[in-house]
Amino acid sequence: EVQLLESGGGLVQPGGSLKLTCAASGFTFSSYGMRWVRQAPGKGLEWLSVITGNGATTYYADSVKGRFTISRDNSKKTLYLQMNSLRAGDTAVYYCVKGGGGWKDAFDYWGQGTLVTVSS
Amino acid sequence: EIVLTQSPDFQSVTPKEKVTITCRASQSIGSNLHWYQQKAGQSPKLLIQYASQSLSGVPSRFSGSGSGTDFTLTISSLEAEDAATYYCHQSSSLRGTFGGGTKVEIK
C-alpha cells in the first residue's frame, strides 16, 4: 500500500525557515517523480515543485522559486521541501504527491498534508 | 503559465441529478488533463486521468471528456457521497497548474 507521510509543519515567523519531510513507502520511490502541492485555508490547490526520480531535475512555481528547494534521499525514501524567507501568503497545508511513472502522469497518491502557518 | 478556468464555482444539486463541470485551458494541452475530488477535511483523490480514462475503484457515474482546450467532468447521477470540491489539473507543461475548483453541494 502506497503511503506518504508529511511532517515538519508548524508556526513560523515571517522571514523564517522550515523544512518539510515526506516519508514514502509501498512503492519503488526512486522510480517516480515527486511533487509538493499546497492549499491555503479555504482556497484551491497550487502546484509548487517537482523533482525527478533520480533527483537531477527540479522545477518550481514562480511564487516560490528562489525561496523553496525540493530534494530527495532515495536511500531513505524521503522527499524534502526547504522553505526560506517565508511570508504570510505561504500559510497553507502542504501535500506530498506522487506522480505516475511518466512526466505528464496524473497525481495518483497524496499525503495527508502538513499545516504551515506563517505569522508573528 | 497555462491557466485553467473551471465553471461553475459552485453548484447545488439534487440527488440523482446530472452534474457537469467544465475546465477550459488557456492554450491547447492535448489530453493532459486530470480530475480530482476533494471532500471536506481530506486530501484530493484522483478521479479521471488523461481527460477520459477511468480509474479502478472510481464509480462509473464519473466520466470525463474533451481535448485541446475544453474539458468536462460529468457525474451522471449524483449521490450524497459526491459532495466535494472538484479540481482539474494540467500536466502538459513542466509546471503543472490547477483549476480554481468547483464545489458541489447536495440539496
Side-chain angles (χ1 to χ4, degrees):
Chain A
E1 179 192 5
V2 172
Q3 290 193 358
L4 301 170
L5 186 62
E6 303 96 335
S7 61
L11 176 64
V12 60
Q13 292 189 341
S17 298
L18 210 56
K19 187 171 186 176
L20 305 183
T21 297
C22 171
S25 62
F27 64 103
T28 305
F29 184 68
S30 59
S31 295
Y32 293 89
M34 296 293 294
R35 284 92 171 159
W36 288 98
V37 173
R38 71 183 178 185
Q39 186 170 36
K43 301 298 184 182
L45 302 171
E46 180 183 13
W47 183 98
L48 291 183
S49 184
V50 59
I51 185 168
T52 51
N54 62 8
T57 303
T58 59
Y59 293 98
Y60 299 91
D62 289 344
S63 58
V64 303
K65 192 172 184 180
R67 299 188 299 125
F68 290 12
T69 302
I70 190 172
S71 62
R72 63 192 297 160
D73 184 335
N74 286 343
S75 68
K76 295 181 179 179
K77 299 184 181 180
T78 302
L79 177 72
Y80 303 100
L81 185 68
Q82 175 67 48
M83 304 185 295
N84 298 330
S85 303
L86 284 162
R87 310 163 179 165
D90 295 318
T91 294
V93 172
Y94 286 72
Y95 294 103
C96 167
V97 182
K98 172 187 171 291
W103 187 255
K104 295 180 183 292
D105 283 348
F107 300 164
D108 52 3
Y109 289 93
W110 298 62
Q112 87 290 346
T114 187
L115 177 63
V116 173
T117 302
V118 184
S119 175
S120 54
Chain B
E1 175 183 295
I2 298 175
V3 176
L4 298 179
T5 304
Q6 280 185 242
S7 62
D9 295 333
F10 176 83
Q11 202 165 8
S12 184
V13 185
T14 303
K16 299 187 180 180
E17 217 178 312
K18 180 180 179 181
V19 174
T20 301
I21 298 169
T22 65
C23 179
R24 175 163 288 176
S26 59
Q27 63 189 73
S28 179
I29 57 172
S31 295
N32 297 304
L33 191 284
H34 320 290
W35 291 97
Y36 303 84
Q37 175 194 64
Q38 185 178 33
K39 295 183 179 180
Q42 296 184 16
S43 304
K45 170 191 170 184
L46 179 62
L47 278 183
I48 300 286
Q49 64 181 3
Y50 290 112
S52 61
Q53 292 182 11
S54 302
L55 294 159
S56 174
V58 175
S60 59
R61 61 182 180 275
F62 291 95
S63 64
S65 64
S67 67
T69 60
D70 293 304
F71 302 86
T72 300
L73 173 70
T74 300
I75 309 174
S76 59
S77 179
L78 189 75
E79 296 193 6
E81 66 184 30
D82 300 334
T85 301
Y86 294 84
Y87 294 94
C88 56
H89 154 233
Q90 67 80 19
S91 60
S92 179
S93 63
L94 291 171
R95 296 168 181 81
T97 51
F98 291 91
T102 296
K103 185 173 183 178
V104 174
E105 174 193 87
I106 310 298
K107 276 185 184 174

